[in-house]
């Protein structure tokens, strides 16, 4: 089973740029094209929040158009830049989205069971797992305590050392960790929000953060450094599940990079047998 995780898309109205700088729509289009060229194809794609930048209907309409070419089934998660009402208005036919309340749900019928958490706090940059959301998660975990499970959520529940961003991490993390520690079948907690590829041990499992297919957050580890964006290579995560080894996470970069055969030293084209 292969899962492509994209995060922090920050889709804009047509012709606009994030912060007046980043053409996030163009970057997402390039990421979708590359994912469609992968061989083998991902079984599904999960987008872990900040799908759009301001939560407007126009942005969600752009998002819908940009993601429509994906070959693999798509599952969407809320981030702090998202708006549940506008999202539901533009995506009314997603069978997995509850009609009201938090946008959280379970994806079944795969070797891995996927639980999508909604950490959005309307009007705030930080996230939260409050009592209602924690209870919902506990009920879902209790339904299949022996099945390998991945939890997807936007806000990381740990301190990353990116101090400006850590102020906006997920609250309720202590209770969340206590719950997850009861379930060793949780293979991964996969997040976004930080615009970097990050990994740490947390709550008895591995917690990862996917990079953005657009801009990244600068790697500044001093407490007095405010967050900054940097145009490092755009990327995403590929989570590869093998029953014998568990879940393996690869960081993939979006772009055209020269590739050469180890044997002949000749330039080659990757994914040349994949569908365009």
């Amino acid at each position: 089973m292969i899962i492509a995780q994209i995060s922090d898309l920050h889709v804009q109205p047509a012709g606009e740029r994030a912060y007046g700088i980043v053409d996030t729509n163009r970057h997402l289009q390039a990421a979708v094209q590359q994912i469609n060229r992968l061989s083998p194809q991902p079984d599904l794609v999960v987008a872990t929040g900040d799908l759009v930048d301001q939560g407007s209907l126009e942005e969600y309409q752009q998002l819908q158009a940009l993601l429509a070419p994906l070959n693999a089934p798509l599952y969407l998660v809320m981030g702090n830049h998202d708006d549940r009402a506008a999202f539901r208005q533009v995506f009314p036919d997603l069978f997995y989205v509850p009609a009201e309340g938090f946008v959280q749900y379970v994806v079944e019928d795969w070797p891995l069971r996927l639980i999508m958490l909604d950490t959005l706090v309307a009007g705030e940059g930080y996230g939260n797992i409050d009592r209602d959301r924690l209870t919902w998660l506990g009920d879902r975990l209790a339904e299949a305590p022996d099945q390998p499970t991945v939890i997807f959520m936007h806000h990381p529940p740990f301190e990353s050392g990116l101090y400006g961003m850590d102020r906006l991490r997920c609250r309720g993390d202590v209770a969340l960790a206590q719950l997850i520690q009861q379930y060793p079948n949780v293979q991964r907690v996969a997040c976004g929000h930080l615009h970097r590829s990050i990994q740490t041990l947390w709550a008895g499992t591995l917690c990862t953060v996917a990079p953005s297919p657009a801009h990244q957050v600068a790697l500044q580890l001093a407490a007095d450094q405010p967050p900054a964006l940097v145009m490092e290579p755009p990327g995403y995560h590929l989570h590869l599940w093998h029953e014998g080894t568990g879940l393996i996470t690869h960081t993939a970069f979006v772009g055209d990079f020269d590739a050469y055969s180890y044997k002949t030293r000749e330039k080659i084209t990757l994914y040349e047998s994949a569908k365009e």
Side-chain angles (χ1 to χ4, degrees):
M1 181 179 178
I2 300 175
I3 304 167
Q5 181 193 358
I6 55 177
S7 195
D8 299 275
L9 317 180
H10 290 275
V11 166
Q12 304 286 315
E16 296 188 16
R17 293 173 177 248
Y19 311 104
I21 299 169
V22 187
D23 189 348
T24 54
N25 294 7
R26 179 180 62 82
H27 281 290
L28 178 56
Q29 184 179 41
V32 167
Q33 290 172 348
Q34 179 163 314
I35 291 171
N36 280 346
R37 292 171 54 215
L38 292 174
S39 181
Q41 277 282 279
D43 294 288
L44 50 87
V45 176
V46 179
T48 47
D50 284 1
L51 308 174
V52 301
D53 200 50
Q54 300 296 325
S56 71
L57 290 175
E58 183 179 359
E59 289 174 331
Y60 282 113
Q61 289 163 352
Q62 285 290 317
L63 175 74
Q64 187 178 52
L66 289 165
L67 294 177
L70 276 170
N71 295 329
L74 173 67
Y75 295 90
L76 302 173
V77 177
M78 294 289 96
N80 52 285
H81 281 257
D82 289 302
D83 180 274
R84 297 185 189 98
F87 167 76
R88 283 187 167 103
Q89 186 170 339
V90 177
F91 293 91
D93 299 324
L94 295 178
F95 68 92
Y96 53 80
V97 173
E100 58 184 18
F102 300 123
V103 180
Q104 46 193 28
Y105 53 93
V106 179
V107 180
E108 308 272 12
D109 302 324
W110 296 94
L112 288 172
R113 187 171 188 248
L114 310 182
I115 299 178
M116 312 301 184
L117 276 180
D118 181 340
T119 59
L120 167 61
V121 178
E124 301 291 349
Y126 63 83
N128 192 25
I129 297 295
D130 54 23
R131 180 176 298 178
D132 289 342
R133 283 178 268 202
L134 189 69
T135 298
W136 181 89
L137 175 61
D139 290 343
R140 302 292 78 74
L141 289 171
E143 291 170 345
D146 298 320
Q147 184 174 358
T149 297
V150 178
I151 297 171
F152 286 95
M153 56 192 285
H154 179 69
H155 294 85
F158 63 89
E159 292 185 359
S160 68
L162 301 170
Y163 291 94
M165 296 296 293
D166 285 341
R167 293 184 293 104
L168 304 176
R169 65 191 180 95
C170 187
R171 301 180 183 181
D173 54 298
V174 174
L176 179 62
Q178 291 172 345
L179 174 62
I180 291 175
Q181 284 172 336
Q182 300 175 42
Y183 291 93
N185 61 310
V186 175
Q187 294 279 314
R188 182 81 83 257
V189 178
C191 310
H193 190 53
L194 297 181
H195 291 242
R196 298 201 67 82
S197 183
I198 301 172
Q199 305 83 35
T200 189
L201 291 173
W202 178 82
T205 188
L206 187 63
C207 192
T208 58
V209 179
S212 169
H215 54 287
Q216 312 308 318
V217 167
L219 183 57
Q220 300 181 126
L221 300 179
D224 59 351
Q225 293 174 310
L229 67 86
V230 58
M231 298 311 298
E232 292 175 346
Y236 57 97
H237 273 173
L238 281 176
H239 303 289
L240 173 63
W241 166 257
H242 281 300
E243 186 173 356
T245 56
L247 192 62
I248 301 165
T249 296
H250 297 267
T251 301
F253 298 100
V254 180
D256 294 322
F257 305 103
D258 290 341
Y260 298 88
S261 165
Y262 277 114
K263 184 175 182 179
T264 67
R265 307 297 191 266
E266 294 178 347
K267 185 179 290 189
I268 59 174
T269 302
L270 299 177
Y271 321 122
E272 59 186 354
S273 62
K275 295 189 298 183
E276 290 292 339

